Amino acid sequence: MPLEGRRIVVTGTVQGVGFRPWVFRIAREAGISGRVRNDGHGVVIEAFGTPDTLERFLALLAAEPPPAARIDEIAPTPIAPEQLPDFVIVASEEAAGRRVSIPPDLATCEACFGDVADPANRRFRYPFTNCTNCGPRFTITRDVPYDRATTTMAPFVMCAACRAEYESPHDRRFHAEPNACPACGPALTLLDAAGARQAVPDPLAAAATALRAGLVVAVKGLGGFHLACDARSSNAVATLRRRKRRDEKPLAVMAADLDEAERLAVLSDDERRLLESVERPIVLVARRDRSGLAPEVSPRNRLVGLMLPYTPLHRLLLAEAGGPLVMTSGNLSDEPLAVHNDEAVARLGPLADALLVHDRDIDAPCDDSVVRVIAGRATVMRRARGFVPRPIRLRRPVARPVLAVGGLLKNAVCLASGDEAWLGPHLGDLDNVATLTFFDTCITRMRRFLRIDPEVVAHDLHPDYASTRWALDQSGLEPVGVQHHHAHIAGVVTEHRLDGPVFGLAWDGTGYGPDGTSWGGELLLVDGARCDRLATLRPVALPGGDVAVRQVWRLGLVLLADAFGDDLPVDGLEVFRRVPPRDVEIVRQMLASSLNAPLASGAGRYFDGVGALVLGRTESRFEGQVAMELNDVAHPFERGVYPFGLDRGLSPWQIDLRPTVRSVVTDLAAGASPAWVSARFHNTLVAAGAAAVRAAAREFGTWPVALSGGCFQNPRLAEGLREALAGEFAVHLHRQVPPGDGGLALGQVAVAAARMGVGG
């Protein structure tokens, strides 16, 4: 049969996942000669053989790619045949208009963990062991195409043994770009808090000894540093909290393996799969009553964030330490991650007793991802290591490249070009100079990395957000303001590639409305660039503005004043026994005069206010704390619903929870437990949201429903609405991107694209 040629371009996540070695093997199996290389778009194969062998080769390509690969498209075109003796892997090529196709960092595979545990293996106890199927990717990559020369492994020249593995098609380290061993690769060093090198024979063992002694150790991982301590020691955890200035926000815990995780938490099958997945995120799970974890790990919270080791360094450290470790982000609260050794000494030295560092640079900082199972599926709460830089495919290409800069809190930026959008890693809250600098650096890196020169910058409408000010300061970029909740719903639409109008319930703490007021309990009708506000929660005052968000007793008082008028039943409520009467009187005067008491319709403010009344909480130490605790105590089997109103005589319609608040107070006065009252309050919000959607459908037609905003990180609320509307509406929740503000930039891209007349 005649010899033919095909040029095959494969796009998707096909670099850094062992794709070229796999192509090499199946080409030889199919009897194909030719070559394969990376380029700026993906992988290019030039294959030569008979029509039958080429057909078989193409079938094998589509059948079972490497586990971490994701093929978006296989595009073959005929080329002139060449008589070649073999099939080879050739050097990568640079190309214009390139796109990232490398995967996120991949958890170490069991085969490599086996090498590390084998005393006869030359990689025994080597913390940087990896192969083609696992190991660092995004965080060490300086440029694409993904080759060793474009990573921070470039300074480490492979020894003869590693080079032989790298060049052998039959070795699982064939073209593993981070390949190394103790003879030629990165090495660990132990530093004291001042940065002085410690002369110890085994830095990792010495760090584990310090952890067993109750000390705090800063540990350099894949995307940055962790601050680690013994998760069973109240003193150690309290010390870490005090130094990090993190009062009550839960701390992540790393368990040695799944068996230890089972001893710490009650796990479902879905949660087990997530813990062992290649992404290795922090998984929010229910802590066991007798877990042995220090109460200070997650005060007043039944949930604990668990993860398993995702590098040999972590697995070795856990084994040496002999128990679970707190592994929290290596920073002061609200600051960006420390990633470089000198920087870590300066910033983390005051927080830690020792630092375990290494000499492989981190080029792209990337925090741990956080995931929770909601409605039977994984929902990303914080999108970072393990998920970035996977692109999100758009339903239609954007007409012009777009940069979206997100919001103020839990910031992440997004770049879009063609039919793909790339969400950057979680950056945090842009309320300090250090994080804002990190934000600027991340945008610069992503633009360079993706070779995208945006023409449009999409931003939130809030004029005081640092991200908005940054966007408006950029010369040469066309600014497009996108309303906060419109962006939330557009993010769900984009993620699920929906077409046509949707009803969007956008419930969160706050978002700037076009009328200059604070929104956050919205029912919207969204269709691309169009966004109609159909209904909202009844606005309530915020006495003292943002002070009321922290001092939640003020919101409890506001709800009482709105529901009962002047005759406030404060005497029978525990929360007001903890507040000085003079402070209560001052807030009452503020409400009476409307002085420094702006109105807000955020669902989060209702959670805070009802939480203050039900739980007796006066303060919230971090965003969403009181709402989390209210959800945590809710009785799982209570199905009662409090009364509420839906006033369709107003524009927008108004969901009236004053009857709900009166019933909450009545139940508390009658001695009802917080568990029952919390459950009924959750059920009422579900019923009210569903009633508003049904009323809108009667007037505007039946459309899919999208749920977005920070409140839908609450499983009871999200699952309740999904169940309440099932059978009548297709209900869509976030999965790949966070429901909160971490997913905002994707929606901003979609709205900006729609305003250009194309995209989404």
mmCIF file of all heavy atoms in Angstrom, residues 519-537:
data_model
loop_
_atom_site.group_PDB
_atom_site.id
_atom_site.type_symbol
_atom_site.label_atom_id
_atom_site.label_comp_id
_atom_site.label_asym_id
_atom_site.label_seq_id
_atom_site.Cartn_x
_atom_site.Cartn_y
_atom_site.Cartn_z
ATOM 1 N N TRP A 519 -26.257 45.630 46.961
ATOM 2 C CA TRP A 519 -27.115 44.504 46.625
ATOM 3 C C TRP A 519 -26.526 43.223 47.218
ATOM 4 O O TRP A 519 -25.428 43.210 47.726
ATOM 5 C CB TRP A 519 -27.222 44.344 45.116
ATOM 6 C CG TRP A 519 -27.909 45.462 44.388
ATOM 7 C CD1 TRP A 519 -28.291 46.672 44.893
ATOM 8 C CD2 TRP A 519 -28.280 45.466 43.007
ATOM 9 N NE1 TRP A 519 -28.864 47.435 43.916
ATOM 10 C CE2 TRP A 519 -28.881 46.724 42.741
ATOM 11 C CE3 TRP A 519 -28.162 44.548 41.973
ATOM 12 C CZ2 TRP A 519 -29.358 47.070 41.474
ATOM 13 C CZ3 TRP A 519 -28.627 44.883 40.712
ATOM 14 C CH2 TRP A 519 -29.226 46.133 40.463
ATOM 15 N N GLY A 520 -27.284 42.121 47.091
ATOM 16 C CA GLY A 520 -26.747 40.852 47.566
ATOM 17 C C GLY A 520 -27.777 39.773 47.811
ATOM 18 O O GLY A 520 -27.423 38.679 48.252
ATOM 19 N N GLY A 521 -29.058 40.045 47.527
ATOM 20 C CA GLY A 521 -30.091 39.021 47.651
ATOM 21 C C GLY A 521 -30.970 39.042 46.422
ATOM 22 O O GLY A 521 -32.182 39.229 46.511
ATOM 23 N N GLU A 522 -30.380 38.840 45.238
ATOM 24 C CA GLU A 522 -31.017 39.202 43.979
ATOM 25 C C GLU A 522 -31.575 38.014 43.202
ATOM 26 O O GLU A 522 -30.975 36.941 43.168
ATOM 27 C CB GLU A 522 -29.996 39.916 43.081
ATOM 28 C CG GLU A 522 -29.191 41.001 43.769
ATOM 29 C CD GLU A 522 -30.033 42.000 44.529
ATOM 30 O OE1 GLU A 522 -31.061 42.459 43.974
ATOM 31 O OE2 GLU A 522 -29.700 42.319 45.683
ATOM 32 N N LEU A 523 -32.716 38.245 42.566
ATOM 33 C CA LEU A 523 -33.210 37.374 41.502
ATOM 34 C C LEU A 523 -33.101 38.175 40.216
ATOM 35 O O LEU A 523 -33.740 39.230 40.074
ATOM 36 C CB LEU A 523 -34.652 36.944 41.741
ATOM 37 C CG LEU A 523 -35.317 36.195 40.570
ATOM 38 C CD1 LEU A 523 -34.575 34.910 40.227
ATOM 39 C CD2 LEU A 523 -36.784 35.900 40.860
ATOM 40 N N LEU A 524 -32.273 37.711 39.294
ATOM 41 C CA LEU A 524 -31.998 38.413 38.051
ATOM 42 C C LEU A 524 -32.473 37.594 36.856
ATOM 43 O O LEU A 524 -32.525 36.360 36.910
ATOM 44 C CB LEU A 524 -30.486 38.659 37.906
ATOM 45 C CG LEU A 524 -29.767 39.325 39.080
ATOM 46 C CD1 LEU A 524 -28.265 39.349 38.830
ATOM 47 C CD2 LEU A 524 -30.297 40.723 39.326
ATOM 48 N N LEU A 525 -32.802 38.287 35.778
ATOM 49 C CA LEU A 525 -33.010 37.645 34.489
ATOM 50 C C LEU A 525 -31.824 38.056 33.622
ATOM 51 O O LEU A 525 -31.660 39.234 33.285
ATOM 52 C CB LEU A 525 -34.326 38.087 33.847
ATOM 53 C CG LEU A 525 -34.657 37.464 32.483
ATOM 54 C CD1 LEU A 525 -34.744 35.947 32.564
ATOM 55 C CD2 LEU A 525 -35.953 38.043 31.919
ATOM 56 N N VAL A 526 -30.973 37.089 33.294
ATOM 57 C CA VAL A 526 -29.714 37.381 32.614
ATOM 58 C C VAL A 526 -29.724 36.719 31.239
ATOM 59 O O VAL A 526 -30.050 35.534 31.105
ATOM 60 C CB VAL A 526 -28.514 36.867 33.447
ATOM 61 C CG1 VAL A 526 -27.218 36.959 32.652
ATOM 62 C CG2 VAL A 526 -28.396 37.661 34.744
ATOM 63 N N ASP A 527 -29.354 37.512 30.243
ATOM 64 C CA ASP A 527 -29.217 36.992 28.883
ATOM 65 C C ASP A 527 -28.063 37.740 28.226
ATOM 66 O O ASP A 527 -28.244 38.807 27.647
ATOM 67 C CB ASP A 527 -30.508 37.191 28.098
ATOM 68 C CG ASP A 527 -30.461 36.510 26.723
ATOM 69 O OD1 ASP A 527 -29.464 35.816 26.446
ATOM 70 O OD2 ASP A 527 -31.418 36.679 25.949
ATOM 71 N N GLY A 528 -26.849 37.188 28.350
ATOM 72 C CA GLY A 528 -25.673 37.843 27.795
ATOM 73 C C GLY A 528 -25.416 39.178 28.462
ATOM 74 O O GLY A 528 -25.219 39.272 29.676
ATOM 75 N N ALA A 529 -25.465 40.253 27.678
ATOM 76 C CA ALA A 529 -25.201 41.586 28.210
ATOM 77 C C ALA A 529 -26.395 42.152 28.970
ATOM 78 O O ALA A 529 -26.254 43.145 29.694
ATOM 79 C CB ALA A 529 -24.825 42.530 27.067
ATOM 80 N N ARG A 530 -27.540 41.530 28.847
ATOM 81 C CA ARG A 530 -28.752 42.032 29.499
ATOM 82 C C ARG A 530 -28.856 41.467 30.909
ATOM 83 O O ARG A 530 -28.610 40.284 31.143
ATOM 84 C CB ARG A 530 -29.979 41.606 28.688
ATOM 85 C CG ARG A 530 -31.307 41.891 29.376
ATOM 86 C CD ARG A 530 -32.447 41.215 28.617
ATOM 87 N NE ARG A 530 -33.690 41.260 29.348
ATOM 88 C CZ ARG A 530 -34.772 40.533 29.057
ATOM 89 N NH1 ARG A 530 -34.734 39.712 28.017
ATOM 90 N NH2 ARG A 530 -35.866 40.615 29.789
ATOM 91 N N CYS A 531 -29.249 42.317 31.849
ATOM 92 C CA CYS A 531 -29.464 41.878 33.231
ATOM 93 C C CYS A 531 -30.597 42.688 33.836
ATOM 94 O O CYS A 531 -30.458 43.906 34.051
ATOM 95 C CB CYS A 531 -28.182 42.045 34.051
ATOM 96 S SG CYS A 531 -28.356 41.565 35.786
ATOM 97 N N ASP A 532 -31.728 42.033 34.111
ATOM 98 C CA ASP A 532 -32.883 42.688 34.717
ATOM 99 C C ASP A 532 -33.029 42.215 36.160
ATOM 100 O O ASP A 532 -33.024 41.005 36.424
ATOM 101 C CB ASP A 532 -34.161 42.361 33.943
ATOM 102 C CG ASP A 532 -34.111 42.865 32.504
ATOM 103 O OD1 ASP A 532 -33.464 43.915 32.270
ATOM 104 O OD2 ASP A 532 -34.695 42.203 31.616
ATOM 105 N N ARG A 533 -33.170 43.175 37.048
ATOM 106 C CA ARG A 533 -33.346 42.867 38.470
ATOM 107 C C ARG A 533 -34.833 42.651 38.743
ATOM 108 O O ARG A 533 -35.616 43.595 38.764
ATOM 109 C CB ARG A 533 -32.794 44.013 39.316
ATOM 110 C CG ARG A 533 -32.665 43.706 40.796
ATOM 111 C CD ARG A 533 -32.285 44.971 41.561
ATOM 112 N NE ARG A 533 -31.862 44.700 42.927
ATOM 113 C CZ ARG A 533 -31.796 45.631 43.881
ATOM 114 N NH1 ARG A 533 -32.133 46.889 43.604
ATOM 115 N NH2 ARG A 533 -31.405 45.309 45.095
ATOM 116 N N LEU A 534 -35.220 41.406 38.974
ATOM 117 C CA LEU A 534 -36.631 41.071 39.157
ATOM 118 C C LEU A 534 -37.064 41.151 40.613
ATOM 119 O O LEU A 534 -38.188 41.588 40.909
ATOM 120 C CB LEU A 534 -36.908 39.657 38.622
ATOM 121 C CG LEU A 534 -36.506 39.373 37.169
ATOM 122 C CD1 LEU A 534 -36.917 37.953 36.795
ATOM 123 C CD2 LEU A 534 -37.124 40.391 36.226
ATOM 124 N N ALA A 535 -36.206 40.695 41.521
ATOM 125 C CA ALA A 535 -36.587 40.652 42.942
ATOM 126 C C ALA A 535 -35.337 40.775 43.790
ATOM 127 O O ALA A 535 -34.220 40.492 43.338
ATOM 128 C CB ALA A 535 -37.329 39.354 43.268
ATOM 129 N N THR A 536 -35.550 41.193 45.036
ATOM 130 C CA THR A 536 -34.448 41.328 45.980
ATOM 131 C C THR A 536 -34.962 41.086 47.387
ATOM 132 O O THR A 536 -36.172 41.159 47.646
ATOM 133 C CB THR A 536 -33.807 42.732 45.877
ATOM 134 O OG1 THR A 536 -32.649 42.798 46.698
ATOM 135 C CG2 THR A 536 -34.785 43.822 46.323
ATOM 136 N N LEU A 537 -34.063 40.761 48.280
ATOM 137 C CA LEU A 537 -34.435 40.705 49.682
ATOM 138 C C LEU A 537 -34.711 42.120 50.186
ATOM 139 O O LEU A 537 -34.076 43.086 49.733
ATOM 140 C CB LEU A 537 -33.306 40.083 50.510
ATOM 141 C CG LEU A 537 -33.093 38.576 50.344
ATOM 142 C CD1 LEU A 537 -31.796 38.152 51.017
ATOM 143 C CD2 LEU A 537 -34.258 37.785 50.913
#
